[in-house]
Amino acid sequence: MIIRIVNSILILFAVCMGLKQGYAMIAGKPEMVEMFGKWGFNKTALAINGGITVIAALLILFPKTFVWGNFLMAAGILLIICLHLLDKDLKGVLIELPFLLLNLVIIYLQYPLKDA
């Protein structure tokens, strides 16, 4: 029971972060444009990435698409980690790593309301 509650909180946190970051990319917030711009993303590519992030966050909420949403979210975070590694930016990698692990832990704990 406690694990389900903790997992539900982790899921809500991941969804909120995904929606927040996805919206920031779609809206073309300056910090997102700056970060992704150094990797060659234009505003259209940034908006597409943001849209995928928002969709991934929403997919996490539903049992049938739970794993796919987490997978998409983790893949997006892994992409950012790889781009930071190309720049030899270990600080950026360390900032993203907990979010990648969060999605992996959520997948491991599974959908909390599956058997309820």
Side-chain angles (χ1 to χ4, degrees), residues 12 14 34 36 51 54 56 76 80-81 88 96 99 102-103 110:
L12 288 175
E34 180 186 341
F36 283 91
V54 167
I80 294 169
I81 288 173
K88 296 185 177 14
E96 296 294 334
F99 298 106
L102 174 65
N103 284 106
Q110 300 180 357

PDB file of all heavy atoms in Angstrom, residues 12 14 34 36 51 54 56 76 80-81 88 96 99 102-103 110:
ATOM      1  N   LEU A  12       3.087  11.368 -10.418  1.00  0.00           N
ATOM      2  CA  LEU A  12       2.569  12.739 -10.533  1.00  0.00           C
ATOM      3  C   LEU A  12       3.706  13.743 -10.716  1.00  0.00           C
ATOM      4  O   LEU A  12       3.596  14.685 -11.514  1.00  0.00           O
ATOM      5  CB  LEU A  12       1.724  13.097  -9.311  1.00  0.00           C
ATOM      6  CG  LEU A  12       0.363  12.410  -9.235  1.00  0.00           C
ATOM      7  CD1 LEU A  12      -0.340  12.751  -7.923  1.00  0.00           C
ATOM      8  CD2 LEU A  12      -0.501  12.804 -10.421  1.00  0.00           C
ATOM      9  N   ALA A  14       6.682  13.095 -12.086  1.00  0.00           N
ATOM     10  CA  ALA A  14       7.224  12.899 -13.435  1.00  0.00           C
ATOM     11  C   ALA A  14       6.302  13.526 -14.482  1.00  0.00           C
ATOM     12  O   ALA A  14       6.771  14.173 -15.431  1.00  0.00           O
ATOM     13  CB  ALA A  14       7.427  11.411 -13.729  1.00  0.00           C
ATOM     14  N   GLU A  34      18.128  28.274 -25.934  1.00  0.00           N
ATOM     15  CA  GLU A  34      19.586  28.358 -25.762  1.00  0.00           C
ATOM     16  C   GLU A  34      20.211  26.972 -25.624  1.00  0.00           C
ATOM     17  O   GLU A  34      21.198  26.658 -26.297  1.00  0.00           O
ATOM     18  CB  GLU A  34      19.914  29.208 -24.530  1.00  0.00           C
ATOM     19  CG  GLU A  34      21.396  29.343 -24.273  1.00  0.00           C
ATOM     20  CD  GLU A  34      21.707  30.064 -22.969  1.00  0.00           C
ATOM     21  OE1 GLU A  34      20.824  30.767 -22.432  1.00  0.00           O
ATOM     22  OE2 GLU A  34      22.841  29.905 -22.477  1.00  0.00           O
ATOM     23  N   PHE A  36      18.990  23.847 -26.364  1.00  0.00           N
ATOM     24  CA  PHE A  36      18.850  22.985 -27.537  1.00  0.00           C
ATOM     25  C   PHE A  36      19.462  23.614 -28.791  1.00  0.00           C
ATOM     26  O   PHE A  36      19.858  22.901 -29.710  1.00  0.00           O
ATOM     27  CB  PHE A  36      17.377  22.629 -27.771  1.00  0.00           C
ATOM     28  CG  PHE A  36      16.870  21.574 -26.845  1.00  0.00           C
ATOM     29  CD1 PHE A  36      16.286  21.902 -25.628  1.00  0.00           C
ATOM     30  CD2 PHE A  36      16.985  20.232 -27.171  1.00  0.00           C
ATOM     31  CE1 PHE A  36      15.823  20.925 -24.768  1.00  0.00           C
ATOM     32  CE2 PHE A  36      16.523  19.245 -26.319  1.00  0.00           C
ATOM     33  CZ  PHE A  36      15.940  19.588 -25.114  1.00  0.00           C
ATOM     34  N   GLY A  51       6.408  18.652 -27.899  1.00  0.00           N
ATOM     35  CA  GLY A  51       5.137  17.949 -28.107  1.00  0.00           C
ATOM     36  C   GLY A  51       5.245  16.482 -27.737  1.00  0.00           C
ATOM     37  O   GLY A  51       4.347  15.923 -27.087  1.00  0.00           O
ATOM     38  N   VAL A  54       5.273  16.236 -23.945  1.00  0.00           N
ATOM     39  CA  VAL A  54       3.932  16.397 -23.365  1.00  0.00           C
ATOM     40  C   VAL A  54       3.108  15.123 -23.577  1.00  0.00           C
ATOM     41  O   VAL A  54       2.439  14.642 -22.657  1.00  0.00           O
ATOM     42  CB  VAL A  54       3.213  17.630 -23.972  1.00  0.00           C
ATOM     43  CG1 VAL A  54       1.739  17.635 -23.626  1.00  0.00           C
ATOM     44  CG2 VAL A  54       3.878  18.909 -23.503  1.00  0.00           C
ATOM     45  N   ALA A  56       4.231  12.084 -24.008  1.00  0.00           N
ATOM     46  CA  ALA A  56       4.796  11.039 -23.141  1.00  0.00           C
ATOM     47  C   ALA A  56       4.295  11.194 -21.708  1.00  0.00           C
ATOM     48  O   ALA A  56       3.912  10.215 -21.060  1.00  0.00           O
ATOM     49  CB  ALA A  56       6.323  11.087 -23.179  1.00  0.00           C
ATOM     50  N   GLY A  76      13.753  10.555 -24.279  1.00  0.00           N
ATOM     51  CA  GLY A  76      14.014  11.986 -24.426  1.00  0.00           C
ATOM     52  C   GLY A  76      15.089  12.467 -23.477  1.00  0.00           C
ATOM     53  O   GLY A  76      15.967  13.261 -23.850  1.00  0.00           O
ATOM     54  N   ILE A  80      19.017  13.909 -24.238  1.00  0.00           N
ATOM     55  CA  ILE A  80      19.629  15.108 -23.649  1.00  0.00           C
ATOM     56  C   ILE A  80      20.941  14.750 -22.956  1.00  0.00           C
ATOM     57  O   ILE A  80      21.935  15.474 -23.076  1.00  0.00           O
ATOM     58  CB  ILE A  80      18.644  15.799 -22.681  1.00  0.00           C
ATOM     59  CG1 ILE A  80      17.442  16.350 -23.464  1.00  0.00           C
ATOM     60  CG2 ILE A  80      19.331  16.914 -21.905  1.00  0.00           C
ATOM     61  CD1 ILE A  80      16.293  16.814 -22.600  1.00  0.00           C
ATOM     62  N   ILE A  81      20.962  13.620 -22.248  1.00  0.00           N
ATOM     63  CA  ILE A  81      22.191  13.167 -21.585  1.00  0.00           C
ATOM     64  C   ILE A  81      23.293  12.941 -22.623  1.00  0.00           C
ATOM     65  O   ILE A  81      24.440  13.369 -22.433  1.00  0.00           O
ATOM     66  CB  ILE A  81      21.937  11.903 -20.744  1.00  0.00           C
ATOM     67  CG1 ILE A  81      21.123  12.258 -19.493  1.00  0.00           C
ATOM     68  CG2 ILE A  81      23.249  11.221 -20.358  1.00  0.00           C
ATOM     69  CD1 ILE A  81      20.667  11.060 -18.682  1.00  0.00           C
ATOM     70  N   LYS A  88      30.880  17.198 -23.421  1.00  0.00           N
ATOM     71  CA  LYS A  88      31.681  16.922 -22.220  1.00  0.00           C
ATOM     72  C   LYS A  88      31.182  17.742 -21.020  1.00  0.00           C
ATOM     73  O   LYS A  88      31.962  18.214 -20.200  1.00  0.00           O
ATOM     74  CB  LYS A  88      33.159  17.181 -22.489  1.00  0.00           C
ATOM     75  CG  LYS A  88      33.742  16.260 -23.533  1.00  0.00           C
ATOM     76  CD  LYS A  88      35.216  16.460 -23.689  1.00  0.00           C
ATOM     77  CE  LYS A  88      35.915  15.566 -24.638  1.00  0.00           C
ATOM     78  NZ  LYS A  88      35.262  14.765 -25.583  1.00  0.00           N
ATOM     79  N   GLU A  96      20.413  15.694 -15.349  1.00  0.00           N
ATOM     80  CA  GLU A  96      19.395  14.886 -16.040  1.00  0.00           C
ATOM     81  C   GLU A  96      19.275  13.464 -15.495  1.00  0.00           C
ATOM     82  O   GLU A  96      18.210  12.855 -15.597  1.00  0.00           O
ATOM     83  CB  GLU A  96      19.706  14.820 -17.539  1.00  0.00           C
ATOM     84  CG  GLU A  96      19.639  16.146 -18.249  1.00  0.00           C
ATOM     85  CD  GLU A  96      18.254  16.747 -18.309  1.00  0.00           C
ATOM     86  OE1 GLU A  96      17.262  15.993 -18.259  1.00  0.00           O
ATOM     87  OE2 GLU A  96      18.164  17.984 -18.412  1.00  0.00           O
ATOM     88  N   PHE A  99      16.289  12.251 -13.335  1.00  0.00           N
ATOM     89  CA  PHE A  99      15.017  12.183 -14.052  1.00  0.00           C
ATOM     90  C   PHE A  99      14.922  10.905 -14.881  1.00  0.00           C
ATOM     91  O   PHE A  99      13.854  10.305 -14.992  1.00  0.00           O
ATOM     92  CB  PHE A  99      14.817  13.437 -14.915  1.00  0.00           C
ATOM     93  CG  PHE A  99      14.752  14.691 -14.101  1.00  0.00           C
ATOM     94  CD1 PHE A  99      15.816  15.575 -14.084  1.00  0.00           C
ATOM     95  CD2 PHE A  99      13.650  14.965 -13.310  1.00  0.00           C
ATOM     96  CE1 PHE A  99      15.764  16.728 -13.310  1.00  0.00           C
ATOM     97  CE2 PHE A  99      13.585  16.104 -12.533  1.00  0.00           C
ATOM     98  CZ  PHE A  99      14.649  16.989 -12.530  1.00  0.00           C
ATOM     99  N   LEU A 102      14.255   8.221 -12.400  1.00  0.00           N
ATOM    100  CA  LEU A 102      12.864   8.316 -11.939  1.00  0.00           C
ATOM    101  C   LEU A 102      11.944   7.519 -12.853  1.00  0.00           C
ATOM    102  O   LEU A 102      11.130   6.725 -12.377  1.00  0.00           O
ATOM    103  CB  LEU A 102      12.425   9.782 -11.891  1.00  0.00           C
ATOM    104  CG  LEU A 102      10.959  10.041 -11.565  1.00  0.00           C
ATOM    105  CD1 LEU A 102      10.631   9.582 -10.152  1.00  0.00           C
ATOM    106  CD2 LEU A 102      10.631  11.510 -11.742  1.00  0.00           C
ATOM    107  N   ASN A 103      12.096   7.683 -14.155  1.00  0.00           N
ATOM    108  CA  ASN A 103      11.246   6.930 -15.084  1.00  0.00           C
ATOM    109  C   ASN A 103      11.509   5.428 -14.984  1.00  0.00           C
ATOM    110  O   ASN A 103      10.571   4.627 -15.059  1.00  0.00           O
ATOM    111  CB  ASN A 103      11.447   7.413 -16.517  1.00  0.00           C
ATOM    112  CG  ASN A 103      10.757   8.731 -16.754  1.00  0.00           C
ATOM    113  OD1 ASN A 103      11.404   9.752 -16.840  1.00  0.00           O
ATOM    114  ND2 ASN A 103       9.445   8.715 -16.832  1.00  0.00           N
ATOM    115  N   GLN A 110       5.704  -0.304 -11.465  1.00  0.00           N
ATOM    116  CA  GLN A 110       4.501  -0.555 -12.260  1.00  0.00           C
ATOM    117  C   GLN A 110       3.369   0.420 -11.933  1.00  0.00           C
ATOM    118  O   GLN A 110       3.466   1.213 -11.012  1.00  0.00           O
ATOM    119  CB  GLN A 110       4.040  -2.009 -12.111  1.00  0.00           C
ATOM    120  CG  GLN A 110       5.094  -2.990 -12.573  1.00  0.00           C
ATOM    121  CD  GLN A 110       4.637  -4.428 -12.434  1.00  0.00           C
ATOM    122  OE1 GLN A 110       3.559  -4.702 -11.936  1.00  0.00           O
ATOM    123  NE2 GLN A 110       5.463  -5.340 -12.900  1.00  0.00           N
TER     124      GLN A 110
END
